[in-house]
Amino acid sequence: MTNPAAMLEVALEEARAGLAEGGIPIGAALFAADATVLGRGRNRRVQDGDPSAHGETAAFRDAGRQRDYRSTIMVTTLSPCWYCSGLVRQFGIGAVVVGESRTFTGGHDWLAEHGVRVTILDDPRCVDLMEEFIAARPELWNEDIGVAE
């Protein structure tokens, strides 16, 4: 795999843009095996009023149709939720790079059990971004992860 930390920069740009728009700071990007960006996106649930507008789905949609996803790499600032983990499995994305999984542990272990190469970077910038957001907007975060208040 190419440099996962460098690839994370694209997802972090998306997360920061989402936060600046008043949304949830989760960004993602789908890369080809040679580290070419195929698509990028951010969680836009708040901005679009669409509960399915997660960062990974936005990056996937932005990439457009691919003949094969096995050699692609999904890079996300936060461990993918079950919805986004399902997208990775459904389309056979071969690798996932996770910026952090401290503030939320989604389906990355499940993905690894099913043959997806998972790399967890535990990047402090991703952790800080989510911890600050969760402290400032717990109600929005709970809505995003499906927790009733």
Side-chain angles (χ1 to χ4, degrees):
M1 185 185 302
T2 57
N3 185 344
M7 297 164 81
L8 181 63
E9 293 302 319
V10 177
L12 262 168
E13 286 175 17
E14 289 293 325
R16 290 178 181 131
L19 182 62
E21 295 168 350
I24 298 162
I26 301 169
L30 186 66
F31 289 86
D34 67 358
T36 300
V37 177
L38 300 172
R40 53 192 297 160
R42 56 188 165 272
N43 185 306
R44 294 192 50 87
R45 295 179 72 254
V46 174
Q47 299 92 312
D48 296 348
D50 178 354
S52 70
H54 289 211
E56 296 89 341
T57 58
F60 182 76
R61 288 176 180 147
D62 187 53
R65 291 176 56 201
Q66 306 294 313
R67 289 185 63 85
D68 183 9
Y69 293 92
R70 292 191 200 318
S71 65
T72 64
I73 305 157
M74 179 66 76
V75 180
T76 180
T77 57
L78 185 65
S79 179
C81 69
W82 288 107
Y83 170 60
C84 295
S85 294
L87 177 136
V88 169
R89 283 291 316 273
Q90 173 72 30
F91 291 94
I93 293 170
V96 173
V97 174
V98 177
E100 71 101 350
S101 65
R102 283 192 235 170
T103 60
F104 178 78
T105 300
H108 67 262
D109 287 337
W110 176 75
L111 290 171
E113 290 169 8
H114 289 88
V116 177
R117 292 179 319 279
V118 176
T119 302
I120 300 174
L121 299 177
D122 198 29
D123 188 286
R125 298 167 302 167
C126 294
V127 173
D128 291 346
L129 192 62
M130 287 310 301
E131 284 180 345
E132 290 169 14
F133 175 78
I134 292 167
R137 301 293 308 274
E139 75 292 344
L140 193 54
W141 173 241
N142 287 335
E143 175 189 325
D144 190 66
I145 61 171
V147 175
E149 290 187 55

